[in-house]
Structures are given as structure tokens and as C-alpha cells.
């Protein structure tokens, strides 16, 4: 109960946390280096406390201008950095990466560059993943919300499955058309 209460209190002010403060080592006989389950519970506590004050549907919140959404955006960047940091752990399962990324609502990310970078690091540390597993993980990225630089990198990334590269190329073309 003490651990649960502490996770809940941390979750209520997660936007004040730093990456170093989330890198909680696993002290038990777990397979992973970091306690990703604890961090995931903290994120869920944050989302539930934030949803009491901020509507989370993308139609009701303009993420660019709403001051109430800034903590959510800040936490999304923090979570993407956390995933990038723990992604090099070779014992980390793809499902855990997915659950960490999906712990936040889609509306929390205006850009998916950080999440793309995290997956790229994960794929580099886990070269044995099948294309199906990689495609499944890549499905959490909204390719329309990648910057032009990230699209350019992803379109040339040999670690990505061909189907994903084709999606990225399609959205890169759309970015270029709108830029012209």
C-alpha cells in the first residue's frame, strides 16, 4: 500500500519529474534492468489525475494553444525519452515498449519524433525481432505527425520493415506537397 500511495503521489506531479528520476532500477529478480512496471503505473496515475482537470479528446482540446495541455505534452516528451533510455535493454519485451507508449492518450503528442527515435533505438538493440513484431510496434506511431527530418530518416532506415517505410514515404510526399 505504501508503494501504491507513493506511485500515485508521483503520478499526480509527473510533469515535474526528470528522466533521471524515472530510471528506477529493478531490485528484485526481474529480467529487466529498470522497473518499467512502476513507471507505467505512475504514468497511469498521472493520466487519471490529469483527466480530472483536462478533457483528453483531441476534438475538445487544441493541443497547440491550450495551457491545460502543457503538462500532458511535457510528460509525453518525458515518456518518449524514458522509452529511448530503456530501449537498449536487450531483455525488454516489445509488449512493454508498446504499453509504455500507449499509457498516454494519442492527443498528448503533437509530434511523434521522440517515439520514433525510441523505437529506432529499440530495433537497433533487438535485431532479432521479426518484421511482424516491428510492424506491430510501429503501429503506435502516427506517421502524419512526424517532422520532415524524421520522415527523411525513417524512409532510409534499414531497421524498419518495408511496409512501414512505404507508409513513411507516402506521408513524406504529403509533407513535401504541403510545403511546396
Amino acid at each position: 500500500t505504501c508503494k501504491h500511495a507513493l506511485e500515485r503521489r508521483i503520478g499526480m506531479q509527473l510533469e515535474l519529474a526528470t528522466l533521471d528520476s524515472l530510471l528506477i532500477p529493478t531490485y528484485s529478480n526481474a529480467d529487466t534492468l529498470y522497473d518499467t512496471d512502476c513507471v507505467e503505473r505512475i504514468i497511469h496515475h498521472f493520466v487519471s489525475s490529469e483527466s480530472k482537470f483536462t478533457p483528453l479528446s483531441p476534438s475538445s482540446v487544441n493541443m497547440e494553444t491550450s495551457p491545460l495541455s502543457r503538462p500532458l505534452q511535457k510528460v509525453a516528451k518525458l515518456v518518449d525519452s524514458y522509452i529511448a533510455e530503456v530501449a537498449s535493454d536487450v531483455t525488454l519485451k516489445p509488449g512493454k515498449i508498446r504499453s509504455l507508449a500507449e499509457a498516454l492518450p494519442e492527443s498528448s503528442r503533437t509530434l511523434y519524433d521522440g517515439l520514433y527515435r525510441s523505437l529506432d533505438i529499440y530495433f537497433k538493440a533487438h535485431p532479432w525481432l521479426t518484421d511482424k513484431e516491428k510492424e506491430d510496434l510501429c503501429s503506435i506511431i502516427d506517421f502524419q505527425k512526424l517532422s520532415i527530418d524524421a520522415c527523411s530518416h525513417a524512409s532510409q532506415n534499414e531497421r524498419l520493415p518495408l511496409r512501414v517505410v512505404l507508409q513513411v514515404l507516402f506521408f513524406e510526399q504529403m509533407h513535401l506537397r504541403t510545403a511546396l
Side-chain angles (χ1 to χ4, degrees):
T1 59
C2 181
K3 186 176 180 180
H4 177 74
L6 185 59
E7 288 171 351
R8 187 178 49 76
R9 288 179 60 197
I10 293 168
M12 292 176 67
Q13 49 187 322
L14 187 57
E15 73 273 7
L16 304 174
T18 62
L19 176 60
D20 288 341
S21 61
L22 287 183
L23 295 174
I24 305 164
T26 302
Y27 293 110
S28 63
N29 293 332
D31 295 335
T32 59
L33 297 173
Y34 298 103
D35 193 348
T36 54
D37 293 330
C38 175
V39 171
E40 186 176 357
R41 288 189 299 270
I42 289 170
I43 295 167
H44 284 295
H45 288 298
F46 170 78
V47 170
S48 67
S49 71
E50 188 69 13
S51 66
K52 293 175 185 172
F53 305 108
T54 306
L56 292 177
S57 72
S59 61
S60 61
V61 174
N62 182 348
M63 294 304 290
E64 324 259 316
T65 60
S66 173
L68 294 175
S69 65
R70 288 196 183 112
L72 194 58
Q73 289 177 336
K74 188 174 181 182
V75 168
K77 288 180 183 178
L78 178 66
V79 169
D80 290 349
S81 297
Y82 175 78
I83 294 170
E85 192 66 32
V86 300
S88 57
D89 180 358
V90 294
T91 59
L92 193 63
K93 304 288 184 226
K96 182 46 69 179
I97 291 287
R98 183 178 194 88
S99 64
L100 283 168
E102 290 178 336
L104 292 169
E106 287 182 34
S107 61
S108 64
R109 291 181 177 91
T110 55
L111 274 180
Y112 276 72
D113 291 10
L115 189 56
Y116 164 71
R117 181 179 159 270
S118 301
L119 289 184
D120 189 38
I121 293 168
Y122 186 74
F123 294 158
K124 190 175 188 177
H126 299 79
W128 56 85
L129 290 176
T130 65
D131 278 353
K132 176 69 177 134
E133 290 172 312
K134 289 179 182 181
E135 284 178 20
D136 187 48
L137 276 176
C138 286
S139 70
I140 61 178
I141 297 176
D142 183 351
F143 293 109
Q144 289 180 320
K145 292 183 180 179
L146 283 180
S147 68
I148 293 176
D149 291 336
C151 277
S152 178
H153 184 274
S155 66
Q156 300 171 16
N157 191 340
E158 295 177 3
R159 288 184 283 278
L160 295 179
L162 183 59
R163 184 175 293 173
V164 172
V165 171
L166 289 174
Q167 276 185 300
V168 170
L169 285 170
F170 174 76
F171 289 116
E172 186 178 25
Q173 286 295 320
M174 288 180 58
H175 281 305
L176 291 174
R177 282 188 186 154
T178 57
L180 292 175

